[in-house]
Amino acid sequence: MAVRAKAFARPATRPRLSRRRLQQNLEGWLFILPVMIGVVAFYVVPLIVSFYTSFTDADGLTEAEWVGGFNYQRLFTRDQFFRRSVVNTLLYVGGHIPLTIGLALILALLCNRKVRGVTWFRTAFFIPVVTNVVAVSLVWNFFFSPRGGVVNWFLSLVGIAGPSWLTDSRWAMPAVIIVSVWFGVGFPMIILLAGLQGIPEMYYEAAKIDGASALGRFRYVTLPLLTPALFFLSITQFISSFQVFGIIYVLTNGGPARATSVYIYYLYQNAFQNSRLGYASAMAWLLFAVIALITLVQWRLQKRWVIYD
Amino acid sequence: MTRRRFLGQLAAVGGGLALAACGASPRAQSTAAPAASGSTAPVASGSTAPAASGAVATSAGARATATSAGSGPVATSAGARATATSAGAAVTPGTGQARQVGITSFMNWDDIKGTPIEEVLQAYEKQTGNKFENVPNPGSGTEYETKVRTMLAGGTAPDIMRVNDDYVRYYSIKDQVRDLTPYLKRDNIKPEDYYAPIYDFAKQPDGKYGAWSIGNQPRAIYYNVNLFKAAGVPLPPKDWTKQGWTWNDFLETAKKLTKGDQQYGALVYDDTGSEQTWAVNNGVADGIFAKDGKKFTLADPKGAEAIQWLADLSCKHKVQPERGLVEQGTTPNLGNNLFVAGKVAMIFRTQGTINYFRRNIPKVGDPGSFEWDVAPVPGNVDQKSEGSLICFAITKPAKNPDGAWELLKFMGGPEGSKIFAERGAWITAHKASNDFLKPGKEPPASYPANLALFAKATEFGTVVNFTENTENARNVYRPEFAKIWNCQETAQVVLDRVRRDVEEALSGKF
């Protein structure tokens, strides 16, 4: 590092790099070469290919033909199931993100107390994150069984006749959101916990001396200082919930009656069940554009609400 | 230290949970079940033809020694002929000599362990000295199709693959399967030895055989005799007749066999063949799709009426289990379990389900055991039943196409067909192998007494008019049917909504 710093410190008057610089550059390139090859072969090339594919009628089996903007045009003009998948995705995102981050915040606050056995709880809440999504979904599949399932058994204790969650198109999406929140709450909880523990004690002491109530301390000390963590979470959760697939694939297969057919699931169906690779590629690029746009907006908006210590 | 131990325990609990989850899934059960059936299958074979199976074993043994002595071909043909004659089938020229073709890779959509397919593949190894390599597939249905397409696109498909009868046309048009005509010609396979509707099913409009269709699994109504007797209801007809077995008769029977949510009279709407069967029987001559493959005839009023009739069994008459009980999330075929548990009196299934029922319905004397048999589907305007054809194809990327043909020939020819027929796997295309089903002959022990009905059902078979775009069309309308089955919308409303998209998919324009 020291050598490098020295090299940078040198005035940049000479137009040509010295031999030593060149050699250093070469070494650097060599070091990152394996990763570069990987990135180019497995990311850059497929990206370019999929962009091209989105303008063809490729099916993976026969020669692809150029169809121009047909795929994009059809998505917008006449695909009722595409529109439904967009609505479903928004429903999912609208349910998943507030619930996950809200619950994660509550859990993080609870787990931040100095109580006996708190590490036990932290571990317990985090366990779903390191569990396999297929195993989790299969277990929940049984929990949601209309008769004999745990969920409806609990509901029956309080006198509610539970629905047949996964086969009723009105309840399938709530069921998926419940599982996804249960499954995904651990990670944001850990991030928020780290954020909480990074808040210096002195702020709380100062607030106490000023007579702030517990709620006031949360509102004016904790929450503002957690905003960087919340910002990070809002972006990552947004992207990942737009791409939800595993839970739905195992739990509902997009059904019943496409009630849980979210964007990526519909994309998968087009690509691998209906052999419409071109159409699916167009969907993928559209999703990319939307996510990029939303992330950009979030990035711009952060100045309004994110407070860096 | 204590924390570490604690974490260790937690991990163990988590792992245990995951294992329990897998162990409890019905899919795991159904794959575990065939393993156990290995012990039951030989019983049937012993009871039908002990002499024959003995002959097979000896001839195979003779062959093994002969090969080591270096006189392979002669002994092979002798062995094979011995089997053929002991199987009681005519010796077809060309099947006598087994070519040495090495290893053939083979893929079926279900686990073949303990199934007649495995038995036939093993017989092939024994009698020809060639080998097969099984390519396992974890799921079935759409997952299998997805896997196949990925493998074909990547050039990694096995030599032989099972093809859903719906998609033979698709793979032929996309040039992903090899034409079998040269092989059929070369080995002088005689079409007159086979049932034409089965044998010619895979024949494409251009005359090429895209797959070999070696059997047919017609659908019928399986019924629980004990429940009929307990309710004092007359048994359904044994022959394929509408007499006393119309849709109304069926409904009335189902009503008498229903006891609230403890016992259901019928379960017919959860089989993939019910759309076609009920539509045709309601007078939609073409079935789901028109003959020219352009129109979605199921959406015609008669078709919608048929679908509504199926839905009404649960929505209106409450004689059929609600959808949530037979199809939970992605877990398929819960209905079979309901029948096995004696909670459903009549169930509409293919012949392929026989072996599942034989394995899982408790044997006589065990708790929960009951007598069961098969009856025709109820008739209305017509009385047809959709059959599922058993098709295997040699893939385009096959590395050993000649080996693939030898194996296919064995499966579809007299040797394999005899085993398939006698295990009740399907009605084989090879005519003579079904002789044991002729009237007056008792079916093998533990099979339904009326097993011969399936041979009859083959005559009254109907098949969907397939085009290369059938799957895409299906993927459009099938998911929407959930609203009908869940009694949220009527069949006509749903069918009207999807008609345009289905027909667009059929046209292949998209």
Side-chain angles (χ1 to χ4, degrees):
Chain A
M1 282 314 278
V3 179
R4 177 143 275 228
K6 221 162 110 191
F8 273 110
R10 210 173 279 170
T13 44
R14 272 184 295 178
R16 278 201 199 159
L17 296 167
S18 72
R19 270 185 72 164
R20 210 172 138 196
R21 254 321 273 290
L22 261 175
Q23 201 188 339
Q24 278 173 358
N25 270 359
L26 193 68
E27 280 168 9
W29 281 108
L30 274 176
F31 272 121
I32 62 166
L33 189 64
V35 180
M36 283 297 287
I37 292 175
V39 167
V40 170
F42 296 113
Y43 285 90
V44 179
V45 171
L47 270 174
I48 296 168
V49 171
S50 94
F51 189 66
Y52 173 79
T53 306
S54 74
F55 295 99
T56 67
D57 67 351
D59 64 1
L61 296 176
T62 51
E63 197 97 344
E65 267 177 54
W66 181 264
V67 294
F70 173 81
N71 290 329
Y72 292 92
Q73 192 200 337
R74 186 179 190 279
L75 279 175
F76 286 110
T77 52
R78 60 171 301 164
D79 191 339
Q80 54 168 325
F81 305 127
F82 169 74
R83 285 195 289 272
R84 222 186 292 175
S85 79
V86 170
V87 171
N88 287 337
T89 309
L90 293 177
L91 280 175
Y92 174 82
V93 171
H96 173 83
I97 293 186
L99 284 174
T100 307
I101 294 187
L103 195 62
L105 185 58
I106 293 170
L107 292 177
L109 287 169
L110 291 175
C111 287
N112 196 30
R113 295 171 166 231
K114 292 183 184 69
V115 199
R116 260 180 75 89
V118 73
T119 45
W120 191 91
F121 282 106
R122 281 180 204 165
T123 318
F125 292 132
F126 196 70
I127 275 185
V129 181
V130 292
T131 315
N132 185 298
V133 61
V134 175
V136 165
S137 306
L138 279 175
V139 171
W140 275 96
N141 199 351
F142 292 108
F143 285 179
F144 279 128
S145 170
R147 290 190 208 164
V150 178
V151 177
N152 280 0
W153 180 75
F154 271 116
L155 287 176
S156 73
L157 290 184
V158 290
I160 300 172
S164 46
W165 292 89
L166 298 175
T167 40
D168 187 328
S169 50
R170 287 158 299 190
W171 288 101
M173 185 54 95
V176 166
I177 292 174
I178 289 172
V179 178
S180 76
V181 170
W182 181 86
F183 188 62
V185 80
F187 176 72
M189 182 197 78
I190 292 290
I191 300 286
L192 290 172
L193 198 56
L196 283 175
Q197 289 177 345
I199 301 175
E201 197 62 27
M202 57 182 184
Y203 291 153
Y204 290 109
E205 278 166 23
K208 251 186 206 166
I209 290 165
D210 289 344
S213 65
L215 202 65
R217 290 200 296 277
F218 172 75
R219 170 70 186 82
Y220 294 105
V221 179
T222 312
L223 212 50
L225 292 175
L226 267 186
T227 47
L230 286 170
F231 175 63
F232 168 76
L233 286 177
S234 69
I235 290 190
T236 52
Q237 290 289 314
F238 211 88
I239 295 175
S240 68
S241 57
F242 258 96
Q243 298 174 342
V244 62
F245 177 75
I247 291 177
I248 284 173
Y249 182 73
V250 183
L251 212 54
T252 63
N253 247 337
R258 293 192 172 87
T260 57
S261 172
V262 291
Y263 201 96
I264 297 289
Y265 188 80
Y266 187 55
L267 188 156
Y268 157 83
Q269 273 195 315
N270 271 314
F272 299 105
Q273 289 183 358
N274 299 344
S275 297
R276 290 176 183 139
L277 293 178
Y279 200 61
S281 298
M283 282 188 72
W285 277 91
L286 205 62
L287 182 66
F288 167 75
V290 169
I291 289 183
L293 194 75
I294 292 175
T295 309
L296 202 70
V297 170
Q298 280 179 304
W299 206 263
R300 286 279 159 84
L301 285 178
Q302 68 162 321
K303 289 190 195 97
R304 301 241 180 114
W305 64 279
V306 179
I307 298 158
Y308 290 101
D309 193 16
Chain B
M1 201 49 194
T2 47
R3 183 183 297 180
R4 187 176 296 170
R5 235 178 76 195
F6 170 70
L7 282 175
Q9 281 171 354
L10 263 183
V13 170
L17 249 172
L19 273 179
C22 302
S25 103
R27 203 172 287 177
Q29 271 175 10
S30 67
T31 49
S37 80
S39 56
T40 57
V43 178
S45 82
S47 68
T48 46
S53 57
V56 173
T58 19
S59 70
R63 213 199 65 72
T65 40
T67 331
S68 63
S71 56
V74 183
T76 314
S77 62
R81 196 174 308 133
T83 330
T85 23
S86 69
V91 182
T92 326
T95 52
Q97 332 89 21
R99 294 182 185 84
Q100 294 308 304
V101 287
I103 304 172
T104 305
S105 53
F106 173 91
M107 182 166 72
N108 188 41
W109 53 53
D110 279 329
D111 189 4
I112 61 166
K113 209 168 161 41
T115 65
I117 294 181
E118 188 187 44
E119 207 178 319
V120 168
L121 293 181
Q122 282 167 351
Y124 167 76
E125 287 196 331
K126 265 195 193 160
Q127 292 179 30
T128 66
N130 294 315
K131 299 267 169 226
F132 76 91
E133 179 201 4
N134 184 39
V135 180
N137 177 55
S140 67
T142 52
E143 280 149 73
Y144 176 76
E145 219 54 46
T146 308
K147 181 175 173 164
V148 163
R149 288 181 188 205
T150 316
M151 284 178 121
L152 286 171
T156 57
D159 300 326
I160 298 185
M161 64 171 189
R162 176 90 178 255
V163 194
N164 186 327
D165 50 4
D166 304 14
Y167 309 137
V168 172
R169 175 70 52 89
Y170 175 84
Y171 289 122
S172 301
I173 287 177
K174 297 280 179 185
D175 194 23
Q176 296 301 310
V177 289
R178 301 197 185 207
D179 177 21
L180 299 181
T181 320
Y183 289 114
L184 294 167
K185 278 218 179 96
R186 187 193 72 183
D187 285 349
N188 198 16
I189 305 293
K190 289 200 180 98
E192 60 268 26
D193 290 341
Y194 298 84
Y195 289 119
I198 309 179
Y199 184 82
D200 281 338
F201 169 77
K203 191 176 179 181
Q204 301 304 309
D206 59 2
K208 290 179 180 169
Y209 283 81
W212 204 6
S213 165
I214 64 172
N216 178 38
Q217 290 178 329
R219 286 173 172 80
I221 303 284
Y222 292 75
Y223 64 96
N224 182 324
V225 178
N226 293 32
L227 293 182
F228 270 77
K229 286 184 177 158
V233 183
L235 295 178
K238 291 221 176 295
D239 293 332
W240 200 270
T241 170
K242 284 195 273 190
Q243 202 70 43
W245 200 234
T246 62
W247 282 13
N248 273 337
D249 298 326
F250 183 82
L251 175 60
E252 291 311 313
T253 308
K255 279 180 180 165
K256 286 177 200 147
L257 290 163
T258 301
K259 288 181 190 162
D261 60 0
Q262 292 306 305
Q263 180 184 314
Y264 295 92
L267 176 53
V268 290
Y269 71 157
D270 66 330
D271 188 277
T272 50
S274 38
E275 293 158 9
Q276 171 81 7
T277 305
W278 262 261
V280 167
N281 289 346
N282 202 35
V284 187
D286 280 358
I288 301 172
F289 305 116
K291 279 223 171 57
D292 62 359
K294 299 268 193 314
K295 281 220 163 61
F296 185 42
T297 35
L298 187 65
D300 292 347
K302 287 270 170 207
E305 194 182 81
I307 298 296
Q308 194 60 50
W309 191 89
L310 289 167
D312 281 348
L313 287 180
S314 33
C315 296
K316 200 163 141 196
H317 308 295
K318 314 272 181 203
V319 297
Q320 176 170 254
E322 64 196 77
R323 200 71 177 179
L325 290 179
V326 296
E327 184 191 74
Q328 189 188 313
T330 49
T331 317
N333 275 339
L334 292 178
N336 289 353
N337 299 351
L338 290 176
F339 183 75
V340 167
K343 285 180 178 273
V344 162
M346 301 185 281
I347 189 168
F348 175 66
R349 285 295 185 267
T350 75
Q351 187 185 354
T353 323
I354 279 193
N355 281 311
Y356 182 82
F357 289 154
R358 281 183 55 234
R359 281 197 302 268
N360 293 289
I361 292 174
K363 304 273 173 305
V364 179
D366 293 345
S369 78
F370 57 84
E371 197 189 326
W372 52 284
D373 207 347
V374 286
V377 297
N380 193 24
V381 179
D382 214 333
Q383 193 180 18
K384 294 257 173 74
S385 165
E386 186 189 338
S388 287
L389 291 135
I390 312 298
C391 299
F392 289 93
I394 305 181
T395 64
K396 195 180 175 208
K399 290 179 188 68
N400 186 4
D402 289 334
W405 168 247
E406 288 303 316
L407 180 49
L408 262 191
K409 190 174 72 177
F410 187 86
M411 291 174 72
E415 299 95 338
S417 292
K418 181 172 159 47
I419 300 176
F420 285 130
E422 290 185 357
R423 296 289 174 275
W426 47 71
I427 299 299
T428 58
H430 186 255
K431 285 182 194 165
S433 300
N434 298 305
D435 279 350
F436 75 104
L437 286 173
K438 289 244 169 84
K441 295 197 181 174
E442 282 287 303
S446 89
Y447 283 91
N450 201 10
L451 186 61
L453 182 82
F454 286 112
K456 208 75 181 147
T458 304
E459 289 171 33
F460 291 90
T462 165
V463 284
V464 180
N465 291 320
F466 303 111
T467 72
E468 64 193 288
N469 305 309
T470 307
E471 186 184 14
N472 285 2
R474 278 225 163 126
N475 287 344
V476 171
Y477 77 82
R478 274 257 168 92
E480 296 301 307
F481 273 24
K483 289 226 163 129
I484 310 175
W485 307 141
N486 284 327
C487 322
Q488 287 169 299
E489 285 180 324
T490 64
Q492 192 67 62
V493 166
V494 170
L495 284 163
D496 284 345
R497 186 168 65 230
V498 295
R499 180 169 211 151
R500 191 192 69 160
D501 287 313
V502 170
E503 287 178 355
E504 188 191 23
L506 282 176
S507 75
K509 282 188 200 118
F510 175 69

